[in-house]
Amino acid sequence: MKVPFSWLKDYVEIDITAQELAEKLFSCGFEVEELIYLGEKISRVVVGEVKALTPHPDSDHMQVCVVDCGDEYGRELQIVTGAPNVYVGMKTPCALDGSTVVESDPRQLEKNPDAVKKIKKGKLRGVESCGMLCSGEELGINDDYYDGAEVNGLLDLAKDTVVGTDIKQVVGLDDWIFDISITANRPDCQSVLGIAREVAAVLKKPLKHPDVSFTAKKSSAAPVAVEVLAPDLCPRYVGHYVEDVKGGKTPAWMRKRLALSGIRSISPIVDITNFVLLEMGQPMHAFDADEIGGRKIVVRRANDGEKIVTLDEKEFTLTHDNLVICDGNKPVALAGIMGGLNSGIKDDTKNVYFESAKFARDSVRKTSRALGQSSDSSSRFEKGVDTYTNGLGMARALHLIEEFACGTVTDICADVCAVDLSERKMVASVSKINALLGIQVPDQEIVAILSRLNFRPEINGDTLTVTVPGYRDDVDNYPDLAEEVIRMYGYDKLVPTFLEAAAVTGGGLTDEQKKEMHLKNLLKTQGYYEAHNYSFYSPKDLDLMRIPEDGVERNAVRILNPISEELSIMRTFLAPSMLANAVRNIRRGNDEGREFEIANVFLPRDTAASEQPDERKHLVFSIWGAKCDFFDIKGTVEAIAETFHLPFSYVRAEKTYLHPGVSASVMLGKTVVGEIGELDPAIALSLGLDKKVYLGELDLYALAESMDDAVRYTNLPKFPAVKRDFALIVDEKLTCGEIEEVLMHSCKYVTKAVLFDVYRGGQLPEGKKSMAFTLTFTPDATAEKGFTPESLDGFVKKILGNLKFKLGIELR
């Protein structure tokens, strides 16, 4: 929200600098993101009076001027100009030696948009010139700032302008613009008056309210009926008929206010609607009353397929979700966004119907997004407009019409309201407010603060009664009043206190955080990128993963007021989110990638529904691409196992979203702690994926007690390790993990078992397959001799015996 300093001074007597006011606003909850000085590019430019003119000896169009710039800058400065409108007695801006003005050369501006032009003393065709006489363009202003600024020539100043005066004070550039960040809960401050209220309160100064008085005159014109068929989308609609509209020029003071806000003057009627939007925060629209068919205004939802052409000559096809303003025959405006071309103000418009309304912010936002059409009004409605300001804004506009004599305010009006406009009273406990703040604010200070904020407070014992201003829809209960009190009383008066369960610590990361950081770093070294997803997803995601209706994953915490159905349940496992990431990347041309996420899943408790869900930390990771396979994702799990000394084993998985033949459950002892595998081809086909996707998920909560990332040291053996290869005939149903477990536990000297070949063919019995392993035998560090062939044969015999006894495996 951009607010001119000079405009604020219309409502509040401000006796501090702009910089000090910015600090005051920040102290009461309004961050000034930028403080812009309008005259930043202008320096050493003063008012000069042309005392004499002589033709330039070497130019047909240049003249040599003698300029009076006052005692401080020189009474007889010689300046050469080529301006056609210069004359003796003219008062005009004079840029002195060493001054700066706005750069107007497009070539320079293309190189640097913030460039300035430096003026130096020099010679023009042999004649000395001590400066430059300026047009409005060199000052960066137009006619809305100062009449005549757009003339092709020098800026002709008023005759009573004092020579030597800084030009910024004369043309209104000695001003500041506050760019203020307004939080979503304070739509009432999306206006100059709204900020002025806060300034008056923080400076403890009275607020000068804008004049909203007007006199309605009886009209012989036919009345305009107003009907609101969608009160849920338009709680209040105020209309007023103004006749005998006249054109002309808007008064300079209003044109200046609009210019400071970046709006060009168009006509008195249009300027008034723009001014009320900026000043009061109330978007308004003016219809050509003679174009309103049937002398009727109807606020309704659009019919599917209905069309409208807006003021910018764009045609839109509407749906039932769009709110429109219609006359007796057709739509004449997109409610809250833009008027229709068929009812807009024209040069010959004689009668106007003013509209001031409240439209539901979500309705305006959805229509604006759906149609790709926005405006200053739609932006304001999306932030929120209160019903109190509807009437106030209309009254202000009608007062300005009377003041400018640009129309006659009639008695033809309408106010259709579906909400209660009576004053809203609220009762709160003073002790509760103080308890919330943690300090004791004196009663008289509470009354003074709330009075300055127009709450009309009364305290009787511990009971605080306030009348909430009509524009403060955000105030509902005592914490809101506490916030109002403390932001004016001063956040610096809050006393820091510990929470009841707080304790002083030495800082640093906890052991759990260190392990998590170690895990993240490990995954990054494996080529993974960390992802962060929302903590909720859609029930449709569970359908995509083919989770059965009685699956534990469907026992999810449902959000009471979800943003949308797509984000309506808390995550019970993370794989759907990671799959969505992989799909999004593949569809956008990222054909290969690795991602991981460490986040909580939310599991409902079996006790009361009001109890918070159980939060358990999970790790999910995915690999996608044409060259990856199951062993890539299994290698990630093995790297985790090796780093954190976790004795994982693997059994066949039965997860609905994983390939039944290319997946495994990760076991820690007899507990399932995760799954890894390829995305089920049927799901991949339904998503239109042409790349394989592998998913893995581990329950870090279940692993927490077993994870040990400490460095372990062991002595190196004195004698070399020995490797032996085995080709085994095994049952088709046996898994590699089951065989590896027997191999590793059959002999204490076996330190590694690696599968290097799987064979299926006619040379094997039916239902059998051949699996070849390399076993590594490592001597103890304390052994005094290495393995002999005889000892190795004994180890092999023992291992083969265990394989035969436990799994029915034969040596091939």
Side-chain angles (χ1 to χ4, degrees), residues 375-387:
S375 63
D376 290 340
S377 293
S378 67
S379 176
R380 186 65 185 81
F381 276 118
E382 288 179 28
K383 294 178 175 71
V385 171
D386 56 82
T387 51

Side-chain angles (χ1 to χ4, degrees), residues 342-353:
N342 53 13
S343 63
I345 302 296
K346 299 178 283 293
D347 292 339
D348 59 350
T349 295
K350 298 299 181 185
N351 304 300
V352 168
Y353 195 77

